[in-house]
Coordinates of all heavy atoms in Angstrom, one line a residue:
L131 N 104.6 104.0 204.0 CA 104.2 104.5 205.3 C 105.5 105.3 205.8 O 106.4 104.6 206.3 CB 103.9 103.4 206.3 CG 102.7 102.5 205.8 CD1 102.4 101.4 206.8 CD2 101.4 103.3 205.6
A132 N 105.4 106.6 205.8 CA 106.5 107.4 206.2 C 106.1 108.5 207.1 O 106.7 109.6 207.2 CB 107.3 108.0 205.0
G133 N 105.1 108.2 208.0 CA 104.6 109.2 208.9 C 105.2 109.1 210.3 O 104.9 109.9 211.1
G134 N 106.0 108.0 210.5 CA 106.4 107.8 211.9 C 107.5 108.8 212.3 O 108.0 109.5 211.5
M135 N 107.7 108.8 213.6 CA 108.7 109.8 214.2 C 110.1 109.3 214.2 O 111.1 110.1 214.4 CB 108.3 110.2 215.6 CG 106.9 110.7 215.7 SD 106.8 112.4 215.6 CE 107.3 112.9 217.3
G136 N 110.3 108.0 214.1 CA 111.6 107.4 214.1 C 112.4 107.8 215.3 O 113.7 108.1 215.2
T137 N 111.8 107.8 216.5 CA 112.4 108.3 217.7 C 113.6 107.4 218.1 O 114.7 108.0 218.5 CB 111.4 108.3 218.9 OG1 110.7 107.2 218.8 CG2 110.6 109.5 218.9
R138 N 113.6 106.1 217.8 CA 114.7 105.3 218.2 C 115.9 105.6 217.4 O 117.1 105.5 217.9 CB 114.3 103.8 218.1 CG 113.4 103.3 219.2 CD 112.9 102.0 218.8 NE 111.8 102.0 217.8 CZ 111.2 100.9 217.3 NH1 111.6 99.7 217.6 NH2 110.3 101.1 216.4
K145 N 112.8 109.8 208.6 CA 113.7 108.6 208.6 C 114.3 108.3 207.1 O 115.4 108.0 206.9 CB 113.0 107.4 209.1 CG 113.9 106.4 209.8 CD 113.1 105.1 210.2 CE 113.2 104.8 211.6 NZ 112.6 103.5 211.9
M182 N 102.7 108.4 202.6 CA 102.0 108.9 203.8 C 103.0 109.6 204.7 O 104.1 109.0 205.1 CB 101.3 107.8 204.6 CG 100.5 108.4 205.8 SD 99.4 107.3 206.5 CE 100.4 106.5 207.6
Q213 N 98.7 111.8 207.4 CA 98.0 111.0 208.4 C 97.5 111.9 209.5 O 97.8 113.1 209.6 CB 98.8 109.9 209.0 CG 99.9 110.3 209.9 CD 100.6 109.1 210.5 OE1 101.6 108.6 210.0 NE2 100.0 108.6 211.6
P237 N 101.9 111.4 215.6 CA 101.2 110.7 214.6 C 100.4 109.5 215.2 O 100.9 108.9 216.1 CB 102.3 110.2 213.6 CG 103.5 111.1 213.9 CD 103.4 111.5 215.3
G239 N 99.7 106.5 214.5 CA 100.1 105.1 214.1 C 99.8 104.9 212.6 O 99.2 105.7 212.0
N240 N 100.4 103.8 212.1 CA 100.3 103.6 210.7 C 98.9 102.9 210.2 O 98.7 102.7 209.1 CB 101.4 102.8 210.1 CG 101.7 101.5 210.9 OD1 100.7 100.9 211.4 ND2 102.9 101.0 211.0
A268 N 106.8 99.6 204.9 CA 107.4 100.6 205.9 C 108.6 101.3 205.2 O 109.3 100.8 204.3 CB 108.0 99.7 207.1
V269 N 108.9 102.5 205.7 CA 110.0 103.3 205.2 C 111.3 102.7 205.6 O 112.3 102.9 204.8 CB 109.9 104.7 205.7 CG1 110.2 104.9 207.1 CG2 110.7 105.7 204.8
D270 N 111.4 101.9 206.6 CA 112.7 101.7 207.2 C 113.4 100.3 206.8 O 114.5 100.0 207.3 CB 112.7 101.8 208.8 CG 111.5 101.0 209.3 OD1 111.1 100.0 208.7 OD2 111.1 101.4 210.4
L346 N 106.1 94.1 207.8 CA 105.4 95.3 207.4 C 105.5 95.5 205.8 O 106.0 96.5 205.3 CB 105.9 96.6 208.1 CG 104.7 97.5 208.4 CD1 105.1 98.7 209.2 CD2 103.9 97.9 207.3
K370 N 106.0 106.4 226.0 CA 107.0 107.2 225.2 C 107.4 108.4 226.0 O 106.9 108.8 227.0 CB 106.3 107.8 223.9 CG 106.0 106.8 222.9 CD 107.2 106.6 221.9 CE 106.9 105.4 221.1 NZ 107.9 105.1 220.1
K421 N 115.8 100.6 212.8 CA 115.1 101.1 213.9 C 116.0 101.9 214.8 O 115.6 103.0 215.4 CB 114.4 100.0 214.7 CG 113.5 99.1 214.0 CD 112.2 99.8 213.7 CE 111.3 98.9 212.9 NZ 110.1 99.5 212.4
Ligands
LIG1 P1 107.6 102.2 213.7 O1 106.6 101.4 214.4 O2 109.0 101.6 213.6 O3 107.7 103.6 214.3 O4 107.0 102.4 212.2 P2 108.6 104.9 214.0 O5 107.8 106.0 214.3 O6 109.1 104.9 212.5 O7 109.9 104.7 214.9 P3 110.0 104.8 216.4 O8 109.1 103.8 217.1 O9 109.5 106.2 216.8 O10 111.4 104.6 216.7 C1 106.9 101.4 211.3 C2 106.5 102.1 210.0 O11 105.2 102.7 210.1 C3 105.4 104.1 209.8 C4 106.8 104.4 210.0 O12 107.2 105.6 209.3 C5 107.5 103.1 209.5 O13 107.5 103.1 208.1 N1 104.5 104.9 210.7 C6 104.6 104.7 212.1 C7 103.7 105.8 210.2 O14 103.6 106.0 208.9 N2 102.9 106.5 211.1 C8 102.9 106.4 212.4 O15 102.2 107.1 213.1 C9 103.8 105.4 212.9

Side-chain angles (χ1 to χ4, degrees):
L131 302 176
M135 302 268 280
T137 40
R138 283 170 286 173
K145 217 186 229 186
M182 183 166 87
Q213 69 175 97
N240 53 29
V269 72
D270 48 28
L346 219 175
K370 287 273 172 178
K421 301 287 182 194

